[in-house]
Amino acid sequence: MSSGQESVLSEYETDTSQTSKLLRKFKETPFVPIGMAGFAMVVGYGLYRLKHRGNMKMSLHLIHMRVAAQGFVVGALTCGVLYSMFQEYVVKPKE
C-alpha cells in the first residue's frame, strides 16, 4: 500500500467509537443526514395526515407520501453532489 492509503486506513482504525464514526461521516457528507431527517419528517407528517385524509383512498395517500419522501431524499442528495462538485471544481481549482 502507498503511504497515502495507510494514513487513511490508520485514521479509520483509530476511531473505534460508533458515535465518533457517525459524527465524522456527518461532517464528510452533511446532505445524507439532512435527507434522512427530511424523509422522517415527511413520513411523520404523512402518518399524521392519514387520520384526516377525508375521502382519499389509503393507497393513494400512501403513494403520495412515498413520492414526497423519495423526492426529498433525492433532492437532498442532488444538492450534496452539486455542493461537492462546486467545492472541488470552483472553489479549489486543480493546478
Side-chain angles (χ1 to χ4, degrees):
M1 275 192 225
S2 68
S3 63
Q5 289 177 343
E6 289 174 0
S7 65
V8 171
L9 290 177
S10 64
E11 177 184 333
Y12 281 105
E13 291 172 356
T14 57
D15 284 341
T16 57
S17 170
Q18 292 294 328
T19 307
S20 64
K21 287 181 184 180
L22 188 63
L23 289 175
R24 187 187 71 235
K25 280 298 201 183
F26 284 170
K27 288 178 185 174
E28 290 174 2
T29 56
F31 286 94
V32 172
I34 292 171
M36 290 168 44
F39 175 81
M41 288 185 338
V42 167
V43 169
Y45 179 72
L47 291 174
Y48 171 75
R49 292 293 301 169
L50 184 65
K51 194 175 199 179
H52 309 289
R53 70 179 186 273
N55 60 354
M56 184 186 293
K57 289 184 177 181
M58 170 81 90
S59 62
L60 188 61
H61 176 74
L62 293 176
I63 288 171
H64 287 173
M65 188 173 63
R66 179 186 64 87
V67 169
Q70 282 180 329
F72 194 94
V73 171
V74 169
L77 292 178
T78 301
C79 288
V81 168
L82 292 174
Y83 177 74
S84 66
M85 288 174 63
F86 176 76
Q87 290 293 326
E88 187 174 335
Y89 295 113
V90 175
V91 175
K92 293 190 272 182
K94 293 183 180 181
E95 297 177 12

